[in-house]
Amino acid sequence: MQYRIKSCLSALITAGWILFTACENHVIDPLSGKYPEPEAHQLNAILSQDVEKGATTRSFSLEIGDNNSYLAIEFVGPRLNYFLAPGNYTIANRTEAKAGNYVAGDANGGTYWVTSGAKLKLIDGTIFVELTGETYTIRGTVMLEDRSMIRIAYTGLIAFEADPPSFTYSIETTKPYAWTADGTTYTPVPGSQLNKISVLSEGQSIAYFEVVTEENPASLSGTYPVKAVNSLERAVIQGQYLNLAWFGVPFDMIVESGSYYLNGETHMFIREGNIRIADSDGTLAISGSDLSIQDIATQGTFGNLPDKGSIAITDATPGGGSGTVFSNLFAASSVDLSLFGLTGYTVTLKIATSDLTVHVEQGAMGATYTYAGSGQYLSFDFSRDAASLPEGVYQVVPNESAKVGDCISGYPSLFGSGFMGTFAGKVTDGVVSEEVVTGGTVEVTGSGIHFNLTTEGGTISGSYTGTIVLQ
């Protein structure tokens, strides 16, 4: 976790003690040359609490203390965590705050120390959150805007109401299913169908299954063994994490395939077991217990974790913001901006719906794209610090303010007609119209991307499922 220094000092905080080296001389006791001992405050009660879900994060606002002196603090956590997660929380402005921060005081709230009618912003310090059973400990030594320091501590219960489960899924089918032993030669299985099921909760990916069935199954209900599939049978393709560096390649080359679920942000690749699917007119329940999960630390021996895994997904409904399925990734590239005297990289993805034919031609000035038929396409530009596109949620922001980790909104091309940044296209009988994407989010996962976008004319929600390899 990154520690952010907001004042002209460096800080080391461990177990509630703090050592400062400062350039603010008036803070130091002139007689001793030391900082004064922080004033200790034992906070005994939760006066108020509130939880609010945003597009990618969840805020936890607490007032801890008593009516005379209390800490008003706004923690930031992952959107899917309904409770305040333990960890070391550092300060950040509201516009920059992400999971693992607490929000600096501002006109909309944030973090303050309130005592005897005075309301002082916190300006520095780490706040430690610990959780044992159902008991929280919240402690830390922090600096206030008047340059005084306080040491706060709270131990007690804080109850958070769990979200009701809400699952949605999207499904993409390929006929016939083709299996491979070496990753290069694919053998089709006549009469089969591959069903790629992406499951989401609150719009974020939580699981991905590759399910082999007969072609056009009337229902997906059944019990599916997890295995390497090379024949016509109902089965779930086992998950696999592979790094070719394990076998002597002189750099990391990672390949992820097959079925997995997420434990936090960690992909749990399912190697063995049974997955049960109940299909009730398109509403799915997907469950499994005693699942063997790959232990990536064993590298090329492909061992499994000692503890078994399990999943329980209920009442997953189709669609759920997944929107349009874009099945054709027709460009995935990166540009080193140092070629133009700038820093960083721009990573570009271009995807299209299956009913649109895309022709790509490489010329002296780069690739050109022409379209035939009728359908949709999207072009995404991401601001990056390397020629890579890590998993995560990318906010669509204007080009002028885009930072590393953002998706760049659309703007007129600097080289003639058309657009740069992120824009959407619609093709009707070969006739193309385009509009810029002005806002929204793009989630990159190990199985593809999901997005909810705002354009000049409306909204676009959709997904692409597949491996993304930058060229």
Side-chain angles (χ1 to χ4, degrees):
M1 182 173 294
Q2 185 179 13
Y3 188 89
R4 304 184 71 89
I5 305 298
K6 293 298 183 184
S7 58
C8 186
L9 49 84
S10 62
L12 174 66
I13 304 176
T14 56
W17 292 91
I18 184 163
L19 174 65
F20 286 96
T21 300
C23 57
E24 298 274 356
N25 290 332
H26 67 275
V27 179
I28 301 176
D29 185 330
L31 298 179
S32 67
K34 300 179 180 179
Y35 285 90
E37 177 71 13
E39 184 178 355
H41 294 272
Q42 181 65 44
L43 308 178
N44 296 319
I46 301 296
L47 305 179
S48 70
Q49 67 182 87
D50 186 45
V51 179
E52 183 175 347
K53 285 191 288 186
T56 60
T57 59
R58 188 180 303 220
S59 63
F60 301 85
S61 297
L62 301 173
E63 291 184 349
I64 315 173
D66 57 43
N67 291 330
N68 295 320
S69 299
Y70 63 90
L71 177 71
I73 186 165
E74 184 177 343
F75 292 103
V76 180
R79 188 175 192 271
L80 294 183
N81 270 24
Y82 73 88
F83 61 93
L84 177 62
N88 303 340
Y89 288 78
T90 56
I91 195 167
N93 292 327
R94 186 174 300 278
T95 56
E96 300 172 349
K98 58 183 182 297
N101 292 135
Y102 63 93
V103 179
D106 58 24
N108 296 313
T111 304
Y112 290 88
W113 174 246
V114 182
T115 183
S116 302
K119 186 176 181 181
L120 298 172
K121 298 178 183 177
L122 273 65
I123 63 170
D124 214 334
T126 299
I127 295 180
F128 302 88
V129 176
E130 300 161 0
L131 180 60
T132 303
E134 297 181 351
T135 300
Y136 277 92
T137 297
I138 299 175
R139 60 183 177 83
T141 303
V142 295
M143 179 175 281
L144 308 179
E145 61 181 316
D146 65 356
R147 303 295 177 179
S148 64
M149 291 180 290
I150 61 171
R151 183 183 301 120
I152 57 95
Y154 167 81
T155 298
L157 298 178
I158 308 177
F160 295 98
E161 185 176 351
D163 295 337
S166 175
F167 302 108
T168 58
Y169 73 93
S170 62
I171 186 167
E172 179 186 350
T173 60
T174 302
K175 305 174 187 178
Y177 160 66
W179 64 277
T180 177
D182 58 11
T184 58
T185 303
Y186 286 83
T187 305
V189 178
S192 69
Q193 177 172 303
L194 178 61
N195 306 272
K196 301 177 181 178
I197 303 174
S198 298
V199 184
L200 298 90
S201 178
E202 296 288 339
Q204 297 191 33
S205 176
I206 61 165
Y208 171 75
F209 305 96
E210 293 190 345
V211 182
V212 178
T213 64
E214 69 281 8
E215 190 173 344
N216 301 322
S219 170
L220 291 174
S221 291
T223 298
Y224 296 78
V226 179
K227 59 187 296 188
V229 186
N230 56 20
S231 60
L232 180 55
E233 61 178 320
R234 284 196 160 204
V236 168
I237 298 174
Q238 66 182 183
Q240 178 174 278
Y241 178 99
L242 169 67
N243 188 343
L244 295 181
W246 298 342
F247 305 99
V249 175
F251 51 86
D252 286 333
M253 182 177 291
I254 295 170
V255 179
E256 298 179 345
S257 61
S259 304
Y260 63 86
Y261 64 90
L262 275 78
N263 181 8
E265 297 182 357
T266 303
H267 286 65
M268 311 297 285
F269 294 94
I270 308 170
R271 300 292 292 172
E272 298 172 343
N274 291 301
I275 302 294
R276 293 173 292 280
I277 300 178
D279 183 352
S280 177
D281 294 326
T283 297
L284 302 183
I286 305 173
S287 61
S289 58
D290 202 33
L291 302 174
S292 295
I293 306 299
Q294 182 179 351
D295 183 357
I296 295 173
T298 64
Q299 299 190 1
T301 61
F302 293 95
N304 294 325
L305 293 170
D307 295 329
K308 298 292 187 176
S310 64
I311 53 172
I313 297 166
T314 58
D315 297 324
T317 55
S322 301
T324 304
V325 173
F326 290 73
S327 58
N328 179 18
L329 175 67
F330 63 91
S333 61
S334 65
V335 174
D336 185 347
L337 299 180
S338 66
L339 298 173
F340 308 99
L342 305 173
T343 59
Y345 290 76
T346 296
V347 171
T348 299
L349 302 182
K350 294 179 182 288
I351 58 177
T353 54
S354 60
D355 49 1
L356 186 64
T357 301
V358 183
H359 301 282
V360 184
E361 295 184 7
Q362 298 292 336
M365 300 299 292
T368 59
Y369 306 95
T370 56
Y371 308 92
S374 299
Q376 295 176 271
Y377 62 92
L378 285 165
S379 181
F380 300 90
D381 273 0
F382 300 89
S383 176
R384 292 287 304 126
D385 55 2
S388 63
L389 189 63
E391 295 182 35
V393 177
Y394 295 76
Q395 296 280 349
V396 179
V397 302
N399 181 49
E400 297 79 11
S401 59
K403 306 184 298 296
V404 170
D406 289 331
C407 182
I408 302 169
S409 63
Y411 58 96
S413 174
L414 304 177
F415 307 102
S417 60
F419 299 108
M420 300 178 70
T422 301
F423 57 92
K426 184 177 182 180
V427 182
T428 304
D429 295 329
V431 179
V432 178
S433 62
E434 293 180 339
E435 60 179 349
V436 298
V437 171
T438 57
T441 59
V442 183
E443 182 187 13
V444 178
T445 71
S447 60
I449 62 173
H450 304 278
F451 47 85
N452 291 281
L453 306 174
T454 302
T455 70
E456 293 179 320
T459 60
I460 300 174
S461 296
S463 62
Y464 164 77
T465 301
T467 302
I468 297 173
V469 179
L470 300 183
Q471 302 298 321

